[in-house]
Amino acid sequence: MHAMERASAKQSSMLDMESHQQKAQSQQKGKSGKRRTEFQTVEHHPHPAELKAQKESRSTIEASSDPVLKEILNAKPSPLVTSSASGKSRRPRTASEFENPHSTNGVANFKGRIQVEVNRYNRHLSRHQTQVHGGRAYHRVPLTTPPGPLSWRLIAAMMMVESSPGADNARSRLNDPMQVSNIHDETIQNIQDRDITKNRGQSIDLIATREDLYNVDRIRPTPVNNGRLDYDAVPENQRIHLRLSLRIGIAWLFVKLMIRDSQENIVGWERDWFTAVGEYNGGGNPHYVQEVRTALQVISNL
C-alpha cells in the first residue's frame, strides 16, 4: 500500500512539474506575442512636410489621369507670341498673374458646379441624335475617343482667362464666367439667330440641349457702360446667370470641336481639344490657348 502511494505521489509530482513547465512556456509565449503586437501597432506620425508631399502626390496622380491636364503637365514652354492686331511681341500671362483658385470667388469655389455641367453635356453628347428641320433629318454622331469626354478642368481654366474674381470684375465671374453674353461677343447672337437650314448658328441645335436653347432665347446681351459690363442694365429675367453661362460656354466649345459635312450633319470631332479652345476665343486674344494652358497648370492640384 505504501509502495503504491509512493508511486502515485511520484507520478503526481512529475505531472505538477510538467504543468509548471507548460505554464511557464505559455507565459513566455504570451509575453513574446505581446511584444510583437505592440511593435506592429506603433503609430507613425508623419512630419507635416511628408503629409504635404503625400497629398500633392495623390493630387498629381489623380490629375494626370485627366488626358487634357496630362498633356499640359508634359507641355514645353510656349515661344514668344506676336499679336497680328498690334504687331507687338509679348508673352501670355504667367502663372503668378492668375488668381489664387481658393480666393473669394476663385475658381475652386465653382468646382462642383463646373463638374455637374460638364458631366451633363458629356452624357448628352455620348448618344447619337437626329433632328428634323423642314422635312429633312440632320444627324450627330456620338462624342468619341479621341478627343474623349470634356474635362471639367479645361472649363475651369477657360473661366480663369475669361473672367476674374477681383473686386472690379466680380460680377463677370458671378454672372457670366464664360463671357458668352458680352455685347461685343457674337456667341449669344449666333445662337439666337440659329437656323440649321441656312447654315447659321453653326449647328448649335445638334449640340445644345433643348432646355438651354429655350433659356438662351430670352437672354439679352450685356451692355458696356463707363468701360464696364453693366449687368444691372438688363432686367433680371433677361440677364445671363452663372449656370446658363457655363452651359452655353460648354455647348459653344463643343460647337468648335465638331466636324460637319456639306449637309450640316455632325460627322465627327476634332482630335485635339485645344483646337476648339482656340476657335472659342475667335482670335480676340492671340495668347488665349497658351493662357488656358497656364491656367491649367495653376489648378493642377484642384
Side-chain angles (χ1 to χ4, degrees):
M1 187 71 177
H2 292 293
M4 291 180 62
E5 289 178 352
R6 284 197 299 271
S8 177
K10 183 177 181 182
Q11 183 177 5
S12 175
S13 176
M14 291 177 65
L15 289 172
D16 289 343
M17 289 179 62
E18 183 178 351
S19 175
H20 179 73
Q21 289 176 350
Q22 289 177 347
K23 184 176 181 181
Q25 289 175 355
S26 176
Q27 289 176 345
Q28 182 64 28
K29 183 178 180 181
K31 291 178 181 179
S32 176
K34 184 177 181 181
R35 283 198 299 270
R36 286 197 299 271
T37 301
E38 289 176 350
F39 175 78
Q40 291 171 348
T41 57
V42 170
E43 295 184 3
H44 171 59
H45 298 282
H47 188 275
E50 183 180 348
L51 288 172
K52 182 179 179 182
Q54 291 174 353
K55 181 178 179 182
E56 291 178 349
S57 176
R58 287 194 298 269
S59 298
T60 301
I61 292 172
E62 186 267 334
S64 63
S65 64
D66 184 327
V68 172
L69 186 57
K70 187 175 182 179
E71 177 182 339
I72 293 305
L73 294 175
N74 295 329
K76 296 180 180 180
S78 175
L80 204 63
V81 180
T82 301
S83 169
S84 58
S86 65
K88 296 181 179 180
S89 297
R90 65 175 179 85
R91 288 193 179 277
R93 278 185 286 176
T94 62
S96 62
E97 295 175 289
F98 278 100
E99 67 194 70
N100 176 350
H102 298 282
S103 63
T104 302
N105 295 326
V107 73
N109 299 287
F110 301 90
K111 177 180 176 179
R113 171 54 60 186
I114 297 171
Q115 289 175 324
V116 166
E117 303 304 345
V118 167
N119 291 338
R120 176 175 177 264
Y121 262 93
N122 279 333
R123 289 193 301 269
H124 172 63
L125 296 174
S126 67
R127 302 181 294 268
H128 183 278
Q129 181 174 341
T130 299
Q131 287 194 13
V132 178
H133 294 268
R136 183 185 158 203
Y138 295 84
H139 304 277
R140 183 198 72 219
V141 299
L143 182 66
T144 56
T145 302
L150 174 61
S151 163
W152 72 267
R153 285 190 180 86
L154 185 56
I155 296 299
M158 292 174 68
M159 272 182 61
M160 293 172 67
V161 177
E162 292 285 346
S163 59
S164 168
D168 293 338
N169 304 295
R171 289 294 299 275
S172 295
R173 174 59 59 86
L174 296 174
N175 279 86
D176 192 9
M178 297 299 288
Q179 288 297 288
V180 296
S181 188
N182 187 330
I183 198 168
H184 298 305
D185 191 284
E186 297 182 352
T187 304
I188 288 289
Q189 292 91 322
N190 282 335
I191 295 174
Q192 292 175 340
D193 294 341
R194 64 188 178 278
D195 185 341
I196 197 169
T197 62
K198 297 180 181 178
N199 191 25
R200 296 165 65 188
Q202 303 190 64
S203 303
I204 188 69
D205 292 73
L206 288 173
I207 297 291
T209 66
R210 291 184 179 181
E211 177 188 357
D212 295 345
L213 290 173
Y214 171 80
N215 288 328
V216 81
D217 281 342
R218 299 180 297 168
I219 298 300
R220 281 175 47 187
T222 307
V224 175
N225 291 321
N226 298 321
R228 293 185 180 179
L229 290 165
D230 188 354
Y231 293 95
D232 292 327
V234 181
E236 187 174 357
N237 64 342
Q238 297 177 309
R239 187 187 307 159
I240 191 70
H241 53 82
L242 174 68
R243 184 172 65 176
L244 188 58
S245 177
L246 282 171
R247 290 182 174 184
I248 295 304
I250 291 168
W252 198 244
L253 183 62
F254 274 111
V255 165
K256 301 305 181 180
L257 187 75
M258 69 184 180
I259 298 173
R260 297 178 298 168
D261 64 13
S262 59
Q263 302 301 312
E264 298 304 315
N265 297 299
I266 300 177
V267 296
W269 307 89
E270 297 286 351
R271 298 177 63 85
D272 181 7
W273 275 106
F274 291 99
T275 298
V277 170
E279 292 292 328
Y280 182 96
N281 176 248
N285 176 1
H287 315 294
Y288 191 79
V289 172
Q290 180 55 30
E291 289 185 351
V292 170
R293 290 178 181 271
T294 302
L296 272 167
Q297 293 176 330
V298 173
I299 61 173
S300 62
N301 285 328
L302 278 188

